Amino acid sequence: MRRVDSLAITVVGHDRPGIIARTAEVLSAYRMNLEDSSMTLLRGHFAMTLICAGEAAPAEVEQAIVAAVDPSLAVTVRAVPDEEDRAPIGSTH
């Protein structure tokens, strides 16, 4: 059975067209599966956090995103451990 790792990927920098598309192209090339995402604009800066699953090495994915998207962006890719689903604490509404 092949090993699947989860990666937390953050991309932050001055907003411009193409950041999401180029990041997605890199992840697709590494056969990563997008499992969760959050994106926002903060005072003209784009901030994106993704959780992806696949077999790629974090440092390799990070370098590929920086090279493909824009070297001025702050990009981090870290392995995250799988966690068991937990019941919510307190009220869910």
Side-chain angles (χ1 to χ4, degrees):
M1 180 185 284
R2 71 181 216 195
R3 191 180 103 226
V4 176
D5 294 321
S6 291
L7 301 180
I9 300 167
T10 62
V11 179
V12 179
H14 182 74
D15 188 35
R16 68 183 59 76
I19 295 172
I20 298 169
R22 287 193 213 105
T23 301
E25 288 171 355
V26 170
L27 298 175
S28 177
Y30 280 94
R31 302 184 52 81
M32 301 297 293
N33 183 46
L34 180 60
E35 295 185 339
D36 205 353
S37 67
S38 176
M39 299 174 211
T40 193
L41 286 174
L42 304 167
R43 299 178 73 188
H45 284 76
F46 176 76
M48 172 170 64
T49 303
L50 308 172
I51 301 294
C52 296
E55 297 181 28
E60 191 175 335
V61 174
E62 184 173 311
Q63 291 172 354
I65 292 171
V66 169
V69 181
D70 186 335
S72 71
L73 295 172
V75 177
T76 60
V77 179
R78 302 285 183 264
V80 293
D82 290 331
E83 294 184 6
E84 303 264 338
D85 288 335
R86 298 180 191 181
I89 298 172
S91 177
T92 59
H93 60 286

mmCIF file of all heavy atoms in Angstrom, residues 24-64:
data_model
loop_
_atom_site.group_PDB
_atom_site.id
_atom_site.type_symbol
_atom_site.label_atom_id
_atom_site.label_comp_id
_atom_site.label_asym_id
_atom_site.label_seq_id
_atom_site.Cartn_x
_atom_site.Cartn_y
_atom_site.Cartn_z
ATOM 1 N N ALA A 24 -2.144 25.552 -8.008
ATOM 2 C CA ALA A 24 -2.909 24.341 -8.326
ATOM 3 C C ALA A 24 -2.205 23.497 -9.385
ATOM 4 O O ALA A 24 -2.217 22.255 -9.307
ATOM 5 C CB ALA A 24 -4.311 24.713 -8.791
ATOM 6 N N GLU A 25 -1.585 24.140 -10.353
ATOM 7 C CA GLU A 25 -0.843 23.404 -11.386
ATOM 8 C C GLU A 25 0.325 22.626 -10.775
ATOM 9 O O GLU A 25 0.580 21.481 -11.138
ATOM 10 C CB GLU A 25 -0.333 24.358 -12.464
ATOM 11 C CG GLU A 25 -1.423 24.896 -13.358
ATOM 12 C CD GLU A 25 -0.955 26.005 -14.281
ATOM 13 O OE1 GLU A 25 0.228 26.446 -14.169
ATOM 14 O OE2 GLU A 25 -1.764 26.456 -15.100
ATOM 15 N N VAL A 26 1.033 23.250 -9.851
ATOM 16 C CA VAL A 26 2.152 22.571 -9.179
ATOM 17 C C VAL A 26 1.629 21.372 -8.391
ATOM 18 O O VAL A 26 2.170 20.265 -8.487
ATOM 19 C CB VAL A 26 2.919 23.534 -8.248
ATOM 20 C CG1 VAL A 26 3.907 22.778 -7.372
ATOM 21 C CG2 VAL A 26 3.634 24.604 -9.070
ATOM 22 N N LEU A 27 0.585 21.578 -7.625
ATOM 23 C CA LEU A 27 0.031 20.486 -6.822
ATOM 24 C C LEU A 27 -0.474 19.350 -7.707
ATOM 25 O O LEU A 27 -0.290 18.176 -7.380
ATOM 26 C CB LEU A 27 -1.072 21.006 -5.905
ATOM 27 C CG LEU A 27 -0.620 22.046 -4.878
ATOM 28 C CD1 LEU A 27 -1.811 22.579 -4.102
ATOM 29 C CD2 LEU A 27 0.440 21.481 -3.960
ATOM 30 N N SER A 28 -1.070 19.689 -8.822
ATOM 31 C CA SER A 28 -1.531 18.672 -9.767
ATOM 32 C C SER A 28 -0.351 17.886 -10.344
ATOM 33 O O SER A 28 -0.423 16.660 -10.476
ATOM 34 C CB SER A 28 -2.324 19.335 -10.892
ATOM 35 O OG SER A 28 -2.708 18.388 -11.849
ATOM 36 N N ALA A 29 0.721 18.570 -10.656
ATOM 37 C CA ALA A 29 1.910 17.897 -11.200
ATOM 38 C C ALA A 29 2.490 16.898 -10.201
ATOM 39 O O ALA A 29 3.051 15.875 -10.598
ATOM 40 C CB ALA A 29 2.967 18.930 -11.590
ATOM 41 N N TYR A 30 2.341 17.183 -8.905
ATOM 42 C CA TYR A 30 2.807 16.272 -7.862
ATOM 43 C C TYR A 30 1.725 15.268 -7.444
ATOM 44 O O TYR A 30 1.910 14.527 -6.494
ATOM 45 C CB TYR A 30 3.291 17.059 -6.633
ATOM 46 C CG TYR A 30 4.674 17.610 -6.811
ATOM 47 C CD1 TYR A 30 4.871 18.908 -7.270
ATOM 48 C CD2 TYR A 30 5.788 16.831 -6.546
ATOM 49 C CE1 TYR A 30 6.153 19.421 -7.443
ATOM 50 C CE2 TYR A 30 7.065 17.328 -6.717
ATOM 51 C CZ TYR A 30 7.233 18.624 -7.166
ATOM 52 O OH TYR A 30 8.499 19.131 -7.351
ATOM 53 N N ARG A 31 0.604 15.280 -8.148
ATOM 54 C CA ARG A 31 -0.522 14.372 -7.888
ATOM 55 C C ARG A 31 -1.054 14.509 -6.465
ATOM 56 O O ARG A 31 -1.417 13.528 -5.822
ATOM 57 C CB ARG A 31 -0.152 12.933 -8.214
ATOM 58 C CG ARG A 31 0.299 12.769 -9.672
ATOM 59 C CD ARG A 31 0.587 11.360 -10.087
ATOM 60 N NE ARG A 31 -0.456 10.408 -9.824
ATOM 61 C CZ ARG A 31 -1.553 10.202 -10.568
ATOM 62 N NH1 ARG A 31 -1.754 10.933 -11.643
ATOM 63 N NH2 ARG A 31 -2.431 9.278 -10.240
ATOM 64 N N MET A 32 -1.068 15.753 -5.977
ATOM 65 C CA MET A 32 -1.587 16.043 -4.640
ATOM 66 C C MET A 32 -3.106 16.196 -4.709
ATOM 67 O O MET A 32 -3.641 16.746 -5.672
ATOM 68 C CB MET A 32 -0.974 17.331 -4.088
ATOM 69 C CG MET A 32 0.545 17.328 -3.977
ATOM 70 S SD MET A 32 1.197 16.103 -2.833
ATOM 71 C CE MET A 32 0.600 16.721 -1.287
ATOM 72 N N ASN A 33 -3.796 15.733 -3.674
ATOM 73 C CA ASN A 33 -5.237 15.854 -3.566
ATOM 74 C C ASN A 33 -5.560 16.981 -2.585
ATOM 75 O O ASN A 33 -5.155 16.920 -1.421
ATOM 76 C CB ASN A 33 -5.843 14.533 -3.079
ATOM 77 C CG ASN A 33 -7.349 14.589 -3.031
ATOM 78 O OD1 ASN A 33 -7.983 15.046 -3.965
ATOM 79 N ND2 ASN A 33 -7.919 14.133 -1.934
ATOM 80 N N LEU A 34 -6.290 17.999 -3.045
ATOM 81 C CA LEU A 34 -6.666 19.120 -2.186
ATOM 82 C C LEU A 34 -7.790 18.682 -1.260
ATOM 83 O O LEU A 34 -8.860 18.280 -1.711
ATOM 84 C CB LEU A 34 -7.114 20.317 -3.031
ATOM 85 C CG LEU A 34 -7.547 21.564 -2.288
ATOM 86 C CD1 LEU A 34 -6.414 22.097 -1.427
ATOM 87 C CD2 LEU A 34 -8.031 22.613 -3.263
ATOM 88 N N GLU A 35 -7.547 18.749 0.052
ATOM 89 C CA GLU A 35 -8.528 18.290 1.029
ATOM 90 C C GLU A 35 -9.234 19.418 1.766
ATOM 91 O O GLU A 35 -10.350 19.248 2.221
ATOM 92 C CB GLU A 35 -7.863 17.353 2.031
ATOM 93 C CG GLU A 35 -7.371 16.081 1.373
ATOM 94 C CD GLU A 35 -6.825 15.073 2.356
ATOM 95 O OE1 GLU A 35 -6.455 15.458 3.491
ATOM 96 O OE2 GLU A 35 -6.758 13.893 1.985
ATOM 97 N N ASP A 36 -8.578 20.568 1.907
ATOM 98 C CA ASP A 36 -9.190 21.696 2.599
ATOM 99 C C ASP A 36 -8.476 22.970 2.170
ATOM 100 O O ASP A 36 -7.294 22.933 1.809
ATOM 101 C CB ASP A 36 -9.083 21.512 4.117
ATOM 102 C CG ASP A 36 -10.162 22.263 4.887
ATOM 103 O OD1 ASP A 36 -10.924 23.038 4.264
ATOM 104 O OD2 ASP A 36 -10.250 22.075 6.110
ATOM 105 N N SER A 37 -9.196 24.099 2.208
ATOM 106 C CA SER A 37 -8.559 25.358 1.806
ATOM 107 C C SER A 37 -9.213 26.540 2.499
ATOM 108 O O SER A 37 -10.378 26.492 2.883
ATOM 109 C CB SER A 37 -8.651 25.551 0.289
ATOM 110 O OG SER A 37 -10.002 25.735 -0.097
ATOM 111 N N SER A 38 -8.431 27.582 2.647
ATOM 112 C CA SER A 38 -8.902 28.859 3.154
ATOM 113 C C SER A 38 -8.106 29.943 2.442
ATOM 114 O O SER A 38 -6.876 29.866 2.377
ATOM 115 C CB SER A 38 -8.681 28.950 4.668
ATOM 116 O OG SER A 38 -9.062 30.231 5.129
ATOM 117 N N MET A 39 -8.824 30.929 1.882
ATOM 118 C CA MET A 39 -8.154 32.010 1.158
ATOM 119 C C MET A 39 -8.813 33.330 1.507
ATOM 120 O O MET A 39 -10.025 33.396 1.693
ATOM 121 C CB MET A 39 -8.257 31.776 -0.351
ATOM 122 C CG MET A 39 -7.614 30.509 -0.805
ATOM 123 S SD MET A 39 -7.925 30.216 -2.546
ATOM 124 C CE MET A 39 -7.931 28.437 -2.550
ATOM 125 N N THR A 40 -8.007 34.383 1.589
ATOM 126 C CA THR A 40 -8.550 35.696 1.906
ATOM 127 C C THR A 40 -7.616 36.784 1.394
ATOM 128 O O THR A 40 -6.468 36.527 1.045
ATOM 129 C CB THR A 40 -8.769 35.842 3.431
ATOM 130 O OG1 THR A 40 -9.561 37.001 3.670
ATOM 131 C CG2 THR A 40 -7.459 35.926 4.182
ATOM 132 N N LEU A 41 -8.132 37.998 1.341
ATOM 133 C CA LEU A 41 -7.329 39.185 1.054
ATOM 134 C C LEU A 41 -7.211 39.997 2.334
ATOM 135 O O LEU A 41 -8.205 40.253 3.009
ATOM 136 C CB LEU A 41 -7.987 40.046 -0.023
ATOM 137 C CG LEU A 41 -7.902 39.510 -1.432
ATOM 138 C CD1 LEU A 41 -8.723 40.389 -2.372
ATOM 139 C CD2 LEU A 41 -6.461 39.464 -1.893
ATOM 140 N N LEU A 42 -5.991 40.386 2.668
ATOM 141 C CA LEU A 42 -5.725 41.185 3.855
ATOM 142 C C LEU A 42 -4.948 42.422 3.447
ATOM 143 O O LEU A 42 -3.764 42.325 3.121
ATOM 144 C CB LEU A 42 -4.913 40.368 4.881
ATOM 145 C CG LEU A 42 -5.535 39.045 5.323
ATOM 146 C CD1 LEU A 42 -4.512 38.206 6.078
ATOM 147 C CD2 LEU A 42 -6.753 39.319 6.188
ATOM 148 N N ARG A 43 -5.622 43.552 3.391
ATOM 149 C CA ARG A 43 -4.984 44.826 3.042
ATOM 150 C C ARG A 43 -4.140 44.718 1.779
ATOM 151 O O ARG A 43 -3.001 45.152 1.732
ATOM 152 C CB ARG A 43 -4.161 45.332 4.211
ATOM 153 C CG ARG A 43 -5.014 45.591 5.449
ATOM 154 C CD ARG A 43 -4.207 46.050 6.602
ATOM 155 N NE ARG A 43 -3.795 47.436 6.366
ATOM 156 C CZ ARG A 43 -2.944 48.083 7.122
ATOM 157 N NH1 ARG A 43 -2.401 47.476 8.154
ATOM 158 N NH2 ARG A 43 -2.626 49.322 6.861
ATOM 159 N N GLY A 44 -4.703 44.122 0.735
ATOM 160 C CA GLY A 44 -4.008 44.018 -0.540
ATOM 161 C C GLY A 44 -3.073 42.843 -0.660
ATOM 162 O O GLY A 44 -2.414 42.667 -1.676
ATOM 163 N N HIS A 45 -2.989 42.031 0.382
ATOM 164 C CA HIS A 45 -2.156 40.837 0.345
ATOM 165 C C HIS A 45 -3.046 39.601 0.336
ATOM 166 O O HIS A 45 -4.050 39.542 1.036
ATOM 167 C CB HIS A 45 -1.204 40.789 1.543
ATOM 168 C CG HIS A 45 -0.066 41.719 1.385
ATOM 169 N ND1 HIS A 45 -0.187 43.078 1.552
ATOM 170 C CD2 HIS A 45 1.217 41.497 1.045
ATOM 171 C CE1 HIS A 45 0.979 43.652 1.334
ATOM 172 N NE2 HIS A 45 1.855 42.710 1.027
ATOM 173 N N PHE A 46 -2.643 38.639 -0.460
ATOM 174 C CA PHE A 46 -3.350 37.383 -0.589
ATOM 175 C C PHE A 46 -2.804 36.402 0.433
ATOM 176 O O PHE A 46 -1.593 36.308 0.626
ATOM 177 C CB PHE A 46 -3.146 36.836 -2.010
ATOM 178 C CG PHE A 46 -3.757 35.501 -2.241
ATOM 179 C CD1 PHE A 46 -5.123 35.375 -2.410
ATOM 180 C CD2 PHE A 46 -2.971 34.362 -2.299
ATOM 181 C CE1 PHE A 46 -5.699 34.138 -2.637
ATOM 182 C CE2 PHE A 46 -3.534 33.124 -2.519
ATOM 183 C CZ PHE A 46 -4.895 33.013 -2.686
ATOM 184 N N ALA A 47 -3.692 35.670 1.102
ATOM 185 C CA ALA A 47 -3.277 34.642 2.062
ATOM 186 C C ALA A 47 -4.068 33.369 1.777
ATOM 187 O O ALA A 47 -5.289 33.401 1.711
ATOM 188 C CB ALA A 47 -3.521 35.110 3.486
ATOM 189 N N MET A 48 -3.347 32.270 1.608
ATOM 190 C CA MET A 48 -3.976 30.997 1.295
ATOM 191 C C MET A 48 -3.357 29.909 2.154
ATOM 192 O O MET A 48 -2.133 29.852 2.310
ATOM 193 C CB MET A 48 -3.753 30.671 -0.195
ATOM 194 C CG MET A 48 -4.179 29.288 -0.622
ATOM 195 S SD MET A 48 -4.165 29.048 -2.418
ATOM 196 C CE MET A 48 -2.427 29.227 -2.826
ATOM 197 N N THR A 49 -4.200 29.058 2.712
ATOM 198 C CA THR A 49 -3.750 27.886 3.449
ATOM 199 C C THR A 49 -4.460 26.681 2.853
ATOM 200 O O THR A 49 -5.684 26.699 2.683
ATOM 201 C CB THR A 49 -4.080 27.990 4.949
ATOM 202 O OG1 THR A 49 -3.487 29.177 5.473
ATOM 203 C CG2 THR A 49 -3.557 26.785 5.709
ATOM 204 N N LEU A 50 -3.694 25.656 2.514
ATOM 205 C CA LEU A 50 -4.239 24.440 1.917
ATOM 206 C C LEU A 50 -3.789 23.232 2.721
ATOM 207 O O LEU A 50 -2.680 23.224 3.260
ATOM 208 C CB LEU A 50 -3.722 24.273 0.482
ATOM 209 C CG LEU A 50 -3.890 25.445 -0.469
ATOM 210 C CD1 LEU A 50 -3.140 25.171 -1.773
ATOM 211 C CD2 LEU A 50 -5.358 25.696 -0.744
ATOM 212 N N ILE A 51 -4.631 22.212 2.761
ATOM 213 C CA ILE A 51 -4.237 20.900 3.261
ATOM 214 C C ILE A 51 -4.370 19.959 2.068
ATOM 215 O O ILE A 51 -5.438 19.863 1.450
ATOM 216 C CB ILE A 51 -5.123 20.410 4.424
ATOM 217 C CG1 ILE A 51 -5.075 21.387 5.602
ATOM 218 C CG2 ILE A 51 -4.714 18.995 4.840
ATOM 219 C CD1 ILE A 51 -3.728 21.490 6.284
ATOM 220 N N CYS A 52 -3.270 19.313 1.719
ATOM 221 C CA CYS A 52 -3.234 18.411 0.574
ATOM 222 C C CYS A 52 -2.699 17.054 1.006
ATOM 223 O O CYS A 52 -1.920 16.965 1.954
ATOM 224 C CB CYS A 52 -2.323 18.961 -0.525
ATOM 225 S SG CYS A 52 -2.916 20.504 -1.209
ATOM 226 N N ALA A 53 -3.095 16.014 0.278
ATOM 227 C CA ALA A 53 -2.596 14.668 0.558
ATOM 228 C C ALA A 53 -1.887 14.141 -0.676
ATOM 229 O O ALA A 53 -2.313 14.389 -1.808
ATOM 230 C CB ALA A 53 -3.739 13.746 0.949
ATOM 231 N N GLY A 54 -0.809 13.426 -0.464
ATOM 232 C CA GLY A 54 -0.050 12.843 -1.565
ATOM 233 C C GLY A 54 1.257 12.274 -1.063
ATOM 234 O O GLY A 54 1.434 12.074 0.130
ATOM 235 N N GLU A 55 2.159 12.036 -1.990
ATOM 236 C CA GLU A 55 3.429 11.402 -1.640
ATOM 237 C C GLU A 55 4.642 12.309 -1.807
ATOM 238 O O GLU A 55 5.769 11.864 -1.682
ATOM 239 C CB GLU A 55 3.628 10.163 -2.509
ATOM 240 C CG GLU A 55 2.595 9.093 -2.294
ATOM 241 C CD GLU A 55 2.847 7.881 -3.152
ATOM 242 O OE1 GLU A 55 4.009 7.614 -3.506
ATOM 243 O OE2 GLU A 55 1.876 7.199 -3.463
ATOM 244 N N ALA A 56 4.439 13.581 -2.091
ATOM 245 C CA ALA A 56 5.546 14.485 -2.375
ATOM 246 C C ALA A 56 6.245 14.958 -1.105
ATOM 247 O O ALA A 56 5.628 15.101 -0.056
ATOM 248 C CB ALA A 56 5.037 15.690 -3.161
ATOM 249 N N ALA A 57 7.538 15.222 -1.234
ATOM 250 C CA ALA A 57 8.325 15.753 -0.120
ATOM 251 C C ALA A 57 7.998 17.236 0.072
ATOM 252 O O ALA A 57 7.943 17.991 -0.898
ATOM 253 C CB ALA A 57 9.809 15.587 -0.402
ATOM 254 N N PRO A 58 7.779 17.672 1.315
ATOM 255 C CA PRO A 58 7.417 19.068 1.568
ATOM 256 C C PRO A 58 8.392 20.082 0.960
ATOM 257 O O PRO A 58 7.962 21.052 0.334
ATOM 258 C CB PRO A 58 7.400 19.162 3.099
ATOM 259 C CG PRO A 58 7.113 17.778 3.560
ATOM 260 C CD PRO A 58 7.785 16.882 2.556
ATOM 261 N N ALA A 59 9.684 19.887 1.133
ATOM 262 C CA ALA A 59 10.664 20.855 0.613
ATOM 263 C C ALA A 59 10.603 20.940 -0.911
ATOM 264 O O ALA A 59 10.737 22.032 -1.479
ATOM 265 C CB ALA A 59 12.070 20.481 1.071
ATOM 266 N N GLU A 60 10.380 19.821 -1.563
ATOM 267 C CA GLU A 60 10.307 19.799 -3.030
ATOM 268 C C GLU A 60 9.068 20.564 -3.523
ATOM 269 O O GLU A 60 9.156 21.341 -4.479
ATOM 270 C CB GLU A 60 10.253 18.347 -3.496
ATOM 271 C CG GLU A 60 10.441 18.166 -4.973
ATOM 272 C CD GLU A 60 10.509 16.701 -5.358
ATOM 273 O OE1 GLU A 60 10.867 15.851 -4.520
ATOM 274 O OE2 GLU A 60 10.189 16.412 -6.522
ATOM 275 N N VAL A 61 7.941 20.364 -2.865
ATOM 276 C CA VAL A 61 6.714 21.077 -3.239
ATOM 277 C C VAL A 61 6.881 22.575 -2.993
ATOM 278 O O VAL A 61 6.505 23.398 -3.831
ATOM 279 C CB VAL A 61 5.497 20.521 -2.462
ATOM 280 C CG1 VAL A 61 4.249 21.357 -2.728
ATOM 281 C CG2 VAL A 61 5.246 19.062 -2.821
ATOM 282 N N GLU A 62 7.478 22.938 -1.860
ATOM 283 C CA GLU A 62 7.696 24.348 -1.543
ATOM 284 C C GLU A 62 8.549 25.028 -2.611
ATOM 285 O O GLU A 62 8.204 26.107 -3.109
ATOM 286 C CB GLU A 62 8.353 24.478 -0.177
ATOM 287 C CG GLU A 62 8.535 25.902 0.294
ATOM 288 C CD GLU A 62 9.044 25.965 1.722
ATOM 289 O OE1 GLU A 62 8.474 25.290 2.603
ATOM 290 O OE2 GLU A 62 10.025 26.703 1.941
ATOM 291 N N GLN A 63 9.653 24.416 -2.993
ATOM 292 C CA GLN A 63 10.526 24.983 -4.021
ATOM 293 C C GLN A 63 9.806 25.108 -5.361
ATOM 294 O O GLN A 63 9.969 26.095 -6.073
ATOM 295 C CB GLN A 63 11.782 24.138 -4.175
ATOM 296 C CG GLN A 63 12.710 24.217 -2.990
ATOM 297 C CD GLN A 63 13.865 23.230 -3.079
ATOM 298 O OE1 GLN A 63 13.930 22.393 -3.969
ATOM 299 N NE2 GLN A 63 14.782 23.325 -2.122
ATOM 300 N N ALA A 64 8.997 24.121 -5.696
ATOM 301 C CA ALA A 64 8.275 24.148 -6.972
ATOM 302 C C ALA A 64 7.235 25.262 -6.998
ATOM 303 O O ALA A 64 7.072 25.940 -8.022
ATOM 304 C CB ALA A 64 7.619 22.792 -7.227
#
